[in-house]
Amino acid sequence: MSLKVNYEKVTTKSEAYRAVKGHITPELIEKFKVTAKVDYQESNSKIVAVGKGFELNISLLDDCAEATIKLSLILRPLKGKILDGIEKQLKRVV
């Protein structure tokens, strides 16, 4: 499952990366009852969060942010809640 958020508050992918980096944190992921390690990859403007049965990839492109999520069978009922939360954070900052 993936989502796409067009930039409205930033103009470049480096600005978007800096904005998103401050808001996509392990604490945000924990709100969804998932523990994950967040890896910030500035060189390719990507944020990856990985935990048991959970993987979130956020790619900051030239004009939008794209997020994809992979969930284990046990976590799939939370998919809508997690995607809504991520989308809300992205729209707030980019």
Side-chain angles (χ1 to χ4, degrees):
M1 185 72 187
S2 65
L3 65 96
K4 181 177 175 180
V5 177
N6 292 321
Y7 298 155
E8 294 179 9
K9 298 178 180 170
V10 297
T11 55
T12 66
K13 71 178 177 180
S14 61
E15 283 180 53
Y17 174 81
R18 288 190 299 274
V20 172
K21 182 179 177 182
H23 288 84
I24 303 298
T25 62
E27 293 78 21
L28 173 71
I29 305 295
E30 286 177 12
K31 288 181 182 179
F32 307 120
K33 308 289 187 239
V34 176
T35 303
K37 180 182 180 291
V38 181
D39 181 27
Y40 302 99
Q41 302 171 3
E42 188 169 3
S43 62
N44 58 359
S45 299
K46 195 171 186 179
I47 298 171
V48 179
V50 179
K52 186 173 182 176
F54 175 86
E55 184 178 337
L56 170 68
N57 290 294
I58 300 174
S59 298
L60 299 149
L61 307 174
D62 290 331
D63 61 342
C64 67
E66 289 186 349
T68 59
I69 190 168
K70 294 179 186 174
L71 299 171
S72 68
L73 190 60
I74 294 171
L75 294 176
R76 284 195 187 141
L78 300 174
K79 180 173 60 175
K81 180 180 175 184
I82 294 170
L83 282 176
D84 286 345
I86 298 297
E87 182 176 26
K88 182 179 174 182
Q89 287 297 321
L90 290 175
K91 283 184 176 180
R92 191 164 65 151
V93 296
V94 298

